[in-house]
Amino acid sequence: FLEDGEAAFSAELGKEWATNVRAAWIQRHEETKKLASELDSASADAEAGASVEVLWKQAEAIAGLEGTAKAQPVIARILAIDPAHAGALFARGAYQVERDDPNGIVDIERAMSIDNSWTGAGLKLLGGYCHRQGDKAALKRIERRWEAHSAKMEVMEQERASARLTDTYLELTIKHI
């Protein structure tokens, strides 16, 4: 169809493609460099003293660079120290649920109950799991929870959008159990 113009057309498409993906590649390269630096720092800190915060940074960096499977040993160390670490529970549960292991459901549910910021992502994972399993009743329950969560997030967003500098704010004390 293109006859003699095929090589020129192919070269032009290649240039256009390279131009279009260049920014994304540069961004990913910068992210990878940052993650590698964070991993080096967190690994050195973890060797010096394995605090939960340091281990969590290390787990996040490993997951970003090498994938969640490689981060699981560090996540296990975190949960051995702090069984209620919402991020580590979520990470372990997500890893399991994405592999259709139902044991991850408990971890995801617990993470969502400890820290509401995991709820949106948790419900998406649980919905995907229920869909893959063909469990329509459970999927319907997840959909209802998603709707309630979305409505709650919308109310919260409206409250944040309507905050004024003249509003009076009360001090909130959070007690850890």
Side-chain angles (χ1 to χ4, degrees):
F1 177 73
L2 297 174
E3 293 181 3
D4 295 338
E6 180 180 359
F9 181 69
S10 179
E12 186 61 33
L13 275 179
K15 286 179 190 175
E16 186 176 325
W17 177 81
T19 300
N20 290 337
V21 299
R22 187 178 198 291
W25 280 3
I26 290 170
Q27 181 181 355
R28 179 59 185 155
H29 178 71
E30 291 302 317
E31 289 170 4
T32 301
K33 279 181 17 182
K34 182 180 175 196
L35 284 170
S37 174
E38 289 173 3
L39 179 57
D40 288 343
S41 174
S43 295
D45 290 346
E47 288 176 20
S51 74
V52 170
E53 294 79 20
V54 168
L55 289 170
W56 181 241
K57 285 181 184 178
Q58 184 181 28
E60 287 181 309
I62 291 169
L65 283 171
E66 302 175 32
T68 56
K70 296 280 188 179
Q72 292 306 304
V74 179
I75 290 167
R77 286 180 62 197
I78 294 168
L79 292 171
I81 298 167
D82 180 4
H85 189 282
L89 285 166
F90 186 86
R92 182 174 69 184
Y95 177 74
Q96 291 171 326
V97 164
E98 288 170 348
R99 281 146 190 78
D100 291 329
D101 180 349
N103 293 317
I105 294 170
V106 173
D107 285 343
I108 291 172
E109 290 286 359
R110 189 150 178 249
M112 293 188 302
S113 72
I114 293 168
D115 182 349
N116 188 51
S117 68
W118 294 106
T119 301
L123 290 174
K124 286 180 184 179
L125 282 170
L126 295 176
Y129 174 80
C130 293
H131 177 73
R132 289 189 306 275
Q133 300 305 309
D135 189 343
K136 292 180 182 180
L139 185 56
K140 199 68 164 163
R141 288 190 299 272
I142 296 294
E143 287 173 356
R144 283 193 297 272
R145 287 174 68 189
W146 177 260
E147 290 167 2
H149 175 70
S150 295
K152 182 179 176 181
M153 293 290 100
E154 188 174 318
V155 168
M156 289 170 66
E157 182 59 36
Q158 289 172 355
E159 287 177 359
R160 283 191 291 273
S162 66
R164 297 179 302 258
L165 291 174
T166 58
D167 289 345
T168 302
Y169 298 95
L170 302 175
E171 183 178 340
L172 175 65
T173 304
I174 299 174
K175 295 180 181 176
H176 295 284
I177 298 174

